[in-house]
């Protein structure tokens, strides 16, 4: 159904994010398929989707906050700042990082000078111009024929003489979209690697989809694109004229002739970017968020530029997203430590993915029959789950994974059947969305609604991949359901609980998700929680200690169980930085 035309306000931002996410979801696979630059790792569409998903979630959170407070709706400034911040912290890959800076550039204009500024067509023109310029500034060595070219063309079209006559945002958005589409069609003539592969730039293709969503936001109609004469694009602007997406994908990733001509696609791509054409290319992609001041980031840029290529640093106001391709991943992270506080560090080895094995001429590996995908709250538990054969998604404190990350994990598992363990009650809907997406890709997925990592441990303990799928799921579900769970944590603020009013700094004991104990000492609170849980019986106690838990608490609890509860065994794991001080499971 067509959307109702909207003015440039907070609701328009919300609508745009939703439509852009939908458009990228529909185009994700075809964008992944034509991804050859700067590295042919087949994930540009997925990275753009995850970036916009994070932006959309941040905007939804702002609207939810206003609704909870009883006010009508956020201002335009509130919405665009949330959009930019969400994209920044959720940016993935080279193109996702650049898209985050494009959105940040728009926010700098649309959120400037008070709540009512820049809400007209001229404001949108200025925002698109600032977006394109700031994205170029963020890239260490801009290359034409990429998403930067498409963004600049969109801004040029929006601010050109013809668009200048437009008096509404719909006209400006349509002009930007048409300019971007024409620029996308020309990208094969600007980058040799695109010309040889017979495709347009994948990041630019994603930006065209985002701008099409902007047109639909203001007009209520999705733009219909007619067949054009430009090389490298057709009705959808996604591949060489007369070539299907599947054919394009084969040429990029699996065709022997293409491999002989180009060798390693990373080597070809980096040659275009000015790196040595030795066919090797950097081995790792390193991405992290960084808290640092401007001067430190300036020094960091120079340091990382010397270490590798594809350097993009976006952000500002003390928070940055850093992306670089290097051979020495440790040195890239150390540079971030010297500049400030890096976190959410992601290191990807380019040679490890299926796309790269296929490109080097080896056949793709056969999928396994069954796998377990689990969300885990700390590095220590991630190791434990992986040793048991699970594919893990790390949920850092305050940073729950998006559905796209869970879908990626399902793909990494490379199995015909997948058991999904969210291990968090708040991730139920996210996991359900990921399961539904995976099913559309032909994977049989069973979602077990585990609410804690200790329930996931119990489920994984009875997992038998040689058993019939339904039987295995029933056994795992039963084991998880028979496991009571608790956690000991520290209150961040004063609040009402089922056990009374707690103050910031109080130690809280939660049983099955509800606050049951309010105390001042971690060990004493854990004692009380464990006694209440074992009062109903149990045979096994699982303790998972976070990094901030006192060293003595596990020893004390083990002794207490041994002395007070006969025939009850205890097992202790180290969870790492997991949020709660202590997780407790009783089976």
């Amino acid at each position: 159904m067509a959307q109702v035309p909207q003015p440039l306000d907070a609701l328009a931002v919300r609508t745009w994010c939703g439509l852009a996410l939908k458009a990228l979801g529909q185009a994700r696979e075809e964008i992944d398929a034509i991804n050859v630059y700067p590295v042919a790792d087949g994930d540009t569409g997925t990275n753009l989707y995850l970036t916009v998903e994070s932006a959309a979630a941040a905007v939804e959170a702002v609207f939810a906050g206003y609704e909870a407070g009883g006010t009508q709706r956020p201002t335009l400034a509130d919405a665009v700042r949330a959009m930019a911040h969400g994209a920044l912290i959720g940016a993935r890959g080279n193109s996702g990082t650049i898209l985050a800076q494009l959105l940040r550039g728009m926010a700098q204009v649309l959120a400037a000078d008070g709540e009512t500024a820049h809400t007209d067509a001229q404001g949108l023109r200025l925002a698109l111009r600032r977006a394109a310029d700031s994205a170029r500034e963020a890239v260490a060595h801009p290359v034409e024929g990429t998403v930067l070219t498409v963004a600049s063309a969109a801004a040029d079209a929006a601010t050109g003489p013809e668009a200048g006559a437009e008096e509404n945002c719909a006209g400006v958005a349509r002009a930007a979209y048409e300019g971007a589409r024409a620029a996308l069609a020309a990208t094969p003539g600007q980058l040799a690697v695109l010309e040889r592969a017979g495709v347009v730039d994948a990041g630019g293709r994603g930006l065209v989809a985002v701008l099409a969503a902007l047109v639909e936001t203001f007009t209520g109609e999705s733009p219909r694109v007619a067949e054009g004469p430009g090389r490298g694009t057709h009705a959808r602007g996604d591949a060489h004229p007369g070539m299907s997406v599947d054919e394009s994908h084969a040429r990029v990733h699996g065709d022997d002739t293409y491999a002989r001509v180009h060798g390693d696609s990373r080597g070809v791509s980096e040659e275009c970017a000015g790196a040595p054409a030795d066919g090797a290319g950097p081995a790792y992609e390193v991405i992290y968020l960084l808290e640092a001041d401007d001067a430190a980031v300036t020094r960091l840029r120079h340091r990382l530029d010397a270490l590798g290529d594809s350097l993009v640093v976006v952000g500002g106001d003390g928070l940055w997203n850093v992306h670089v391709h290097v051979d020495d991943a440790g040195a890239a992270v150390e540079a971030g430590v010297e500049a400030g506080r890096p976190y959410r560090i992601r290191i990807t080895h380019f040679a490890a993915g299926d796309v790269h094995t296929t490109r080097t001429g080896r056949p793709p590996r056969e999928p396994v029959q069954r796998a377990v995908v689990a969300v885990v709250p700390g590095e220590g538990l991630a190791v434990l789950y992986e040793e048991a054969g699970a594919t893990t998604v790390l949920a850092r404190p305050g940073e729950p994974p998006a559905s796209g990350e869970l879908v990626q994990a399902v793909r990494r598992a490379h199995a015909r059947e997948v058991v999904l363990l969210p291990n968090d009650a708040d991730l139920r809907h996210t996991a359900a969305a990921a399961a539904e997406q995976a099913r559309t890709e032909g994977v049989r997925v069973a979602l077990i609604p585990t609410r804690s990592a200790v329930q996931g441990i119990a489920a994984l303990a009875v997992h038998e991949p040689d058993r019939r799928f339904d039987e295995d799921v029933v056994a795992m579900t039963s084991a998880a359901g028979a496991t009571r769970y608790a956690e000991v944590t520290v209150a961040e603020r004063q609040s009402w609980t089922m056990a009374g009013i707690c103050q910031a700094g109080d130690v809280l004991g939660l049983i099955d998700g509800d606050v049951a104990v309010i105390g001042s000492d971690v060990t004493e609170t854990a004692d009380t929680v464990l006694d209440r849980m074992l009062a109903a019986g149990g045979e096994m106690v699982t303790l998972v200690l976070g990094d901030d838990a006192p060293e003595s608490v596990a020893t004390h609890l083990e002794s207490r169980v041994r002395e007070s509860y006969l025939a009850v065994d205890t097992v202790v794991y180290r969870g790492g930085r997991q949020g709660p001080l202590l997780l407790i499971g009783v089976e």
Side-chain angles (χ1 to χ4, degrees), residues 164-315:
E166 298 288 352
E167 297 181 356
N168 56 57
C169 292
V172 174
R174 189 174 292 280
Y177 166 74
E178 294 294 348
R181 191 170 66 89
L184 178 68
T187 55
Q190 297 170 296
L191 263 182
V193 66
L194 301 179
E195 178 70 20
R196 294 189 190 108
V199 297
V200 295
D201 179 68
R205 169 68 180 92
L207 181 58
V208 168
V210 172
L211 290 173
L214 185 64
V215 174
E216 185 174 356
T217 297
F218 291 121
T219 66
E221 297 179 357
S222 180
R224 294 180 178 273
V225 185
E227 181 86 27
R231 176 168 172 75
T233 186
H234 57 57
R236 291 178 299 177
D238 56 4
H240 190 284
M243 179 187 297
S244 70
V245 172
D246 289 340
E247 290 169 337
S248 176
H249 183 275
R251 288 188 63 181
V252 174
H253 298 303
D255 184 88
D256 290 337
T257 303
Y258 178 79
R260 287 196 299 271
V261 172
H262 295 289
D264 186 315
S265 290
R266 278 184 287 120
V268 175
S269 299
E270 300 303 344
E271 180 181 5
C272 296
D278 56 6
Y284 298 95
E285 177 185 59
V286 178
I287 304 175
Y288 50 80
L289 291 178
L290 177 71
E291 293 178 357
D293 58 35
D294 291 3
V297 170
T298 299
R299 293 191 296 271
L300 176 66
R301 288 178 192 269
H302 292 299
R303 174 103 180 259
L304 294 179
D305 195 23
L307 286 174
D309 51 45
S310 295
L311 174 61
V312 186
V313 181
V314 304

Side-chain angles (χ1 to χ4, degrees), residues 310-457:
S310 295
L311 174 61
V312 186
V313 181
V314 304
D317 301 319
L319 180 62
W320 310 82
N321 191 307
V322 179
H323 170 282
V324 67
H325 294 172
V326 292
D327 279 321
D328 190 343
V333 175
E334 288 172 8
V337 172
E338 292 178 7
R341 186 178 80 87
Y343 60 102
R344 290 189 70 171
I345 300 168
R346 293 180 176 86
I347 299 174
T348 302
H349 185 228
F350 285 131
D354 288 342
V355 168
H356 293 276
T357 19
T358 303
R359 194 180 62 244
T360 54
R362 283 174 281 175
R365 61 187 174 100
E366 283 294 315
V368 298
Q369 183 60 32
R370 189 175 309 157
V372 175
V373 172
V375 180
V376 291
E379 293 87 349
L381 280 180
V383 172
L384 173 67
Y385 271 74
E386 287 164 3
E387 287 176 347
T391 299
T392 62
V393 177
L394 191 61
R396 296 172 178 84
E399 300 173 4
S403 64
E405 290 178 90
L406 301 188
V407 174
Q408 279 190 309
V410 171
R411 295 189 190 113
R412 287 203 314 273
H414 205 58
R416 298 182 181 90
E417 301 168 340
V418 169
V419 180
L420 183 57
L421 306 175
N423 291 340
D424 186 336
D426 291 336
L427 288 177
R428 180 166 55 93
H429 295 299
T430 301
E436 187 60 33
Q437 173 62 35
R439 291 183 188 113
T440 67
E441 299 177 10
V443 181
R444 188 180 183 188
V445 181
L447 171 60
I448 298 179
T450 49
R451 294 172 289 175
S452 171
V454 291
Q455 288 188 322
I457 292 172

